[in-house]
Amino acid sequence: LKAGGVAGVCVDLILFPLDTVKTRLQSPQGFRKAGGFRGIYAGVPSTAIGSFPNAAAFFITYENVKSLLHHGSTSYLTPAAHMVAASAGEVVACLIRVPAEVVKQRAQVSPSSSTLQILSRTLYHEGIQGLYRGYKSTVLREV
């Protein structure tokens, strides 16, 4: 739990500026209008808040599913057990990751808005389903 959470936070915070640049380059507004290199850490609160529980949820699910599948399995099924466990871990982790990503990406292309404003605006205009926009495609990618 702790190791997975800390590792996830470290990776996400170190790579955050690169992700911001990528998101702004892909923005329909264009790189400069989306913020350019200004506010390169815009949206980092949602990443910081979601990163630990996201990584922890993955590793807890992975380890539990893996231990369930290993009872009585033969050695040639071990890789399949790891794949199934990892896939289950990703499905669970995406329940946390996707809302954090939606808020983060919207903050990256609108650096003048706070994370809390973006979260509130998303919930007001789109409801909870707005936070899960892209959940299925993210799960398919991760699995």
Side-chain angles (χ1 to χ4, degrees):
L1 176 74
K2 289 179 186 175
V6 170
V9 169
C10 290
V11 168
D12 286 344
L13 293 179
I14 290 168
L15 297 178
F16 193 85
L18 294 173
D19 188 53
T20 301
V21 170
K22 177 194 72 123
T23 300
R24 290 178 181 175
L25 285 168
Q26 293 173 339
S27 171
Q29 317 171 40
F31 181 73
R32 288 183 193 239
K33 285 187 179 179
F37 289 106
R38 285 182 304 110
I40 204 79
Y41 281 95
V44 80
S46 66
T47 297
I49 291 167
S51 187
F52 188 95
N54 169 45
F58 170 81
F59 284 110
I60 287 171
T61 305
Y62 172 77
E63 291 297 333
N64 284 314
V65 171
K66 184 177 73 170
S67 70
L68 288 171
L69 295 175
H70 274 276
H71 290 302
S73 67
T74 58
S75 63
Y76 71 90
L77 290 177
T78 301
H82 285 281
M83 289 188 296
V84 169
S87 295
E90 288 296 348
V91 169
V92 171
C94 282
L95 292 171
I96 299 165
R97 182 182 308 133
V98 170
E101 283 286 313
V102 167
V103 172
K104 177 196 75 167
Q105 288 174 347
R106 291 178 183 189
Q108 287 173 326
V109 296
S110 181
S112 60
S113 297
S114 74
T115 300
L116 189 56
Q117 288 173 327
I118 291 169
L119 175 63
S120 299
R121 197 175 316 131
T122 302
L123 287 171
Y124 180 76
H125 291 289
E126 301 173 55
I128 195 78
Q129 57 271 37
L131 292 175
Y132 284 94
R133 185 172 299 249
Y135 176 79
K136 291 176 188 174
S137 60
T138 302
V139 166
L140 284 173
R141 180 191 72 196
E142 298 298 326
V143 168

